[in-house]
Amino acid sequence: MTTSLLSTHPTSDSGLHIHLHPLILLTLSDYITRHTLQNYTKPIIGALLGQQNGRTITLEHAFECEVTQQGPNSEPRLHEAWFKDRLQQYKDVHQAPALELVGWFTTAPATGPEAVHVGVHQQVLQTYNETAVMLAFHPTSVLQQTGAVGGKLPLTIYESVYESPEGPAAGKMDVDGVEAPLEMRFRELPFVVETGEAEMIGVDFVARGGGNAMAVAEGAERNGGKGQVHSGEMNGKGKGVAKDGKVLDDSSILSAEDEELIASLAARANAVKMLHTRIRLLKAYLTSLPLSYLTTPVPQPTPSATSGNLTPPHTDTSTSAPSLNHPLLRSILALLSRLPLLLPPSHISRFKQETLAEKADVELVALLGAMGRSIKDAKEMGRKFAVVDSMRGSGKRGVFGAGAGGADIGGGEDEFFGGGGAEGSGSAGGRGMGMGEFSTMS
C-alpha cells in the first residue's frame, strides 16, 4: 500500500506564484512519448529552468536528465557529474535573461507524490535550490480525459514542507524526550499558463502537425489498414496498389491543403467549444449571485392579521449565497461593453456614427490647414504686388529726370522679377547717354 505524502494542509500559504510556459509541456510530452515508444525502463526525470523574482517563479525551459540507481532499494538519483555539466551548458546559453534551476519534473499518480520521489527532491533541494518545486505529470489522467476539450491539464505542481508525522508515530518521543523528526510532505501550488509570442508560434505548429497526423491515420483506417503505398507500386492512372493487388483510390489520402484545412477547422472548433464552456461558467456564476438591491424590487412588508404591525416578508436564509467578487464583476461588465464591436454591421450604427464623426474632424482640421496656407500665399502675393506698384509709380514720376535715375528704376524692377537686371541698367544708361548727346548737339 502506497502512503500518501500530501500535506494535511492542502492549501499553500507560502504565497508562491507559478507561471508555466508551454515549452515545458512540449518538452515533457516529447520526452514521455519517446520513453514510451522505445520501452525505456528508467524513470522519467527532468530539470526545470526559469526565473525566481521574489515569490514569483517562472518555468520556461526543461531538459531530460540521466538517472542512476542508488541505495538498497535502487532508488533513482540524478547523475551528479553529468547533471552539473548539462546545467552549466544551459546557463551559458540562456544568459539574457539568466535562468536557474527552479525545480524538476517526473510522472506520478493523481493521488500525489510517492516515497520514490523524495530522494530526488531532497537531492535538488540540498545541492541546487532550497525552494525548488516539483512538477508531476499524471499519465492516468490523460487516458481518462480522451477527447475532452478545455479540461484541466494532467499535471500538478507541488512545493515541499516539513511536518510532524501522523498515525501511530505521531506524538512519540524517544528516551530523552525529544520529539520525532519532521517528515517531508507536498502541497499543491496554483499556477497559470503564460505564453510568449514565439511560444505561440511553436504551439500552433505542433497543433497543426498533430491534426495532420490524425487526418492521415484516419485515412489509413478507412482503407482497412492497407493504405500503405510503397514506392514504385503505382499503376498507370496514378493510383496506389496494395500488397494484395487491390487498387487504392488516392482520394482517401488527404492532400497538404486538406490537412491544413482540417487542422484549422479543428482549432476553430476547439476554440468555439472553449468559448461556450466559459460562457456557461460565467452564466452559472451570475445566476448564483444574490438578488441585487439596485435592480431587483424589494418586497413590501405585509400587515399582520392580528395586529396592525407590519411583518417583514419571509426570507430563506438556509442557503448561503456566494460572496460578491467585485473585480470579476467589473471584468464581466467590461467584456459586455466591448461586445458591440463584435456584432454584425447592421447592429453597429452607433459605432459607424462615431467613426464618421472622427473622420469628419480629421478632414476638417486638414481643410483648415489648407485654408491657412492659401491665406498666407495670398498675403505674400499682395505684399509683392504693393512693392512692384510703388516702384512703377516712382518710375513714372521721374520719367523726365536724369538718365541715371531711369537706369536705377529699370535695374530695380528687373532685380525684383528675378532676371535681366544688368541688361536693364545698360539699356537705361544707353538711353540716358543718347539724351545727353542730343542736348549737346542742340
Side-chain angles (χ1 to χ4, degrees), residues 282 285-286 325-339:
L282 293 177
Y285 172 74
L286 295 176
N325 189 346
H326 294 284
L328 178 59
L329 293 177
R330 284 193 292 268
S331 300
I332 296 176
L333 180 60
L335 177 63
L336 294 177
S337 63
R338 291 195 299 267
L339 286 180

Side-chain angles (χ1 to χ4, degrees), residues 223-275:
N223 293 332
K226 302 178 182 180
Q228 296 181 354
V229 180
H230 301 275
S231 60
E233 298 181 359
M234 302 293 291
N235 60 3
K237 297 182 180 180
K239 298 182 178 180
V241 181
K243 292 183 179 180
D244 55 359
K246 294 183 180 180
V247 178
L248 300 178
D249 190 1
D250 55 359
S251 61
S252 60
I253 303 177
L254 299 177
S255 61
E257 292 78 6
D258 295 337
E259 294 173 358
E260 184 177 358
L261 178 61
I262 290 177
S264 177
L265 293 178
R268 294 186 180 184
N270 294 337
V272 172
K273 292 180 180 179
M274 178 68 72
L275 177 61

Side-chain angles (χ1 to χ4, degrees), residues 321-381:
S323 59
L324 293 179
N325 189 346
H326 294 284
L328 178 59
L329 293 177
R330 284 193 292 268
S331 300
I332 296 176
L333 180 60
L335 177 63
L336 294 177
S337 63
R338 291 195 299 267
L339 286 180
L341 300 178
L342 306 177
L343 295 177
S346 58
H347 296 79
I348 56 173
S349 58
R350 182 178 178 182
F351 176 73
K352 281 187 175 181
Q353 292 178 359
E354 294 180 357
T355 304
L356 293 177
E358 186 175 356
K359 183 179 179 181
D361 294 340
V362 173
E363 293 181 352
L364 179 60
V365 172
L367 181 59
L368 292 176
M371 292 177 61
R373 291 191 296 270
S374 300
I375 294 173
K376 182 180 178 181
D377 295 341
K379 184 178 179 180
E380 185 68 19
M381 179 60 67

Side-chain angles (χ1 to χ4, degrees), residues 3-17:
T3 305
S4 176
L5 296 180
L6 293 180
S7 173
T8 56
H9 305 282
T11 304
S12 175
D13 55 357
S14 61
L16 288 177
H17 301 279

